[in-house]
Amino acid sequence: MTVQVKNITHTYRTADLAEQNVLNDVTFHLNAGEQLLLRGISGSGKTTLINILAGLLTPTAGTITINDQPIYTLPESQRDAWRRDHIGYVFQTHHLLPTLKAWENVALPLRVAGVSGKEAKSASYDLLAQLGLKGKERNRPSQLSVGQRQRVAIARALVNNPVLVLADEPTASLDESAAATALDLLQEHCRAQNTMLIVASHDPALNKRFGRIADLNQGDWLEGAVA
Ligand SMILES: Nc1ncnc2c1ncn2[C@@H]1O[C@H](COP(=O)(O)OP(=O)(O)OP(=O)(O)O)[C@@H](O)[C@H]1O
Ligand SMILES: [Mg+2]
């Protein structure tokens, strides 16, 4: 299992805004089980890069190859299916569906992938229990604390056993102890499954948790800089 990112450049071009070059020639490689922290000030392009890695945003130039599949050569409909099977995404704003219960939010990727309702429910309950949410399965997002919602979003990203988990500021709305718990769960789960993990964050408390740290600075990828 690998992720190969080669010469990714991205420029936002919209009719009403000045052209903005966000990523310059970003190149890196991840091996199975590797965990990387992606840092950079607000507006440096972290979410842009994560969206490109998730197959959601076609880069202006460059290639992304995940498990030998160059993802932007897939037609869009196949890319959507590919994403469901391979990527777990914890969004910066966690995007839970407000009308669904916690377990139904977690089960959604399984249901879309064709897993039976019973099996999906059981897998979702298991994962929520592992994330400390036993008894909260039937709460809707508005009936959960912010930290609990974040954990449901993490459970939803992990439920399909993806090969790559992308987490965009997963601790942004959490206090120090809830952030540590959420990160522990995410990292331990990925370690146990040998899943690759990229976490975007500007929280310095995360530095010590990662073997690999990269900074986005004016569009450039700098890896190995002193924390
Ligand atoms: N759809 C878009 N069209 C035009 N410009 C955009 C678009 N999305 C983002 N940008 C610009 O691209 C730059 C990078 O944005 P991005 O969201 O990737 O930053 P970020 O590092 O995730 O920031 P934050 O830490 O605040 O989440 C910003 O300057 C932003 O204004
Ligand atoms: Mg962002």
Side-chain angles (χ1 to χ4, degrees):
M1 290 199 289
T2 58
V3 174
Q4 276 177 288
V5 177
K6 272 205 189 133
N7 310 110
I8 290 291
T9 292
H10 195 67
T11 303
Y12 285 109
R13 287 193 181 96
T14 43
D16 53 334
L17 297 172
E19 198 172 280
Q20 187 170 355
N21 176 238
V22 180
L23 301 171
N24 273 327
D25 212 19
V26 170
T27 297
F28 67 96
H29 183 101
L30 274 190
N31 290 314
E34 279 196 297
Q35 302 193 346
L36 180 131
L37 176 64
L38 176 60
R39 305 189 302 191
I41 59 169
S42 176
S44 60
K46 301 180 298 297
T47 298
T48 301
L49 181 57
I50 296 257
N51 284 336
I52 291 172
L53 288 165
L56 289 167
L57 176 67
T58 307
T60 309
T63 57
I64 308 273
T65 308
I66 297 180
N67 280 2
D68 299 324
Q69 172 66 58
I71 61 179
Y72 287 100
T73 61
L74 292 170
E76 208 160 319
S77 61
Q78 281 181 39
R79 209 186 320 137
D80 288 343
W82 172 89
R83 181 184 319 110
R84 281 201 301 273
D85 293 342
H86 294 84
I87 301 288
Y89 193 153
V90 184
F91 290 88
Q92 184 160 13
T93 47
H94 34 68
H95 285 324
L96 295 176
L97 296 179
T99 57
L100 297 186
K101 295 169 183 153
W103 79 264
E104 291 168 334
N105 266 289
V106 177
L108 201 58
L110 292 175
R111 296 294 285 144
V112 173
V115 174
S116 77
K118 200 171 161 203
E119 212 177 306
K121 183 171 185 176
S122 149
S124 302
Y125 269 61
D126 280 354
L127 202 49
L128 286 171
Q130 283 175 41
L131 296 183
L133 290 173
K134 214 171 169 53
K136 300 290 181 187
E137 298 90 347
R138 301 176 65 245
N139 290 43
R140 294 179 207 282
S142 63
Q143 300 165 325
L144 293 166
S145 75
V146 176
Q148 288 168 341
R149 272 177 236 165
Q150 198 69 47
R151 278 181 277 163
V152 174
I154 291 173
R156 183 183 53 183
L158 298 175
V159 75
N160 257 353
N161 288 325
V163 298
L164 172 64
V165 172
L166 301 166
D168 195 0
E169 301 281 0
T171 60
S173 45
L174 305 183
D175 65 36
E176 206 177 314
S177 117
T181 311
L183 250 297
D184 282 348
L185 296 164
L186 194 55
Q187 291 193 287
E188 278 163 23
H189 197 280
C190 288
R191 225 168 268 136
Q193 309 278 328
N194 216 25
T195 304
M196 296 175 282
L197 172 66
I198 297 180
V199 174
S201 177
H202 45 232
D203 180 356
L206 268 53
N207 292 345
K208 60 180 187 303
R209 292 176 163 270
F210 288 82
R212 287 182 65 181
I213 298 182
D215 288 281
L216 279 177
N217 187 336
Q218 315 238 351
D220 294 331
W221 174 270
L222 307 169
E223 198 176 341
V226 182

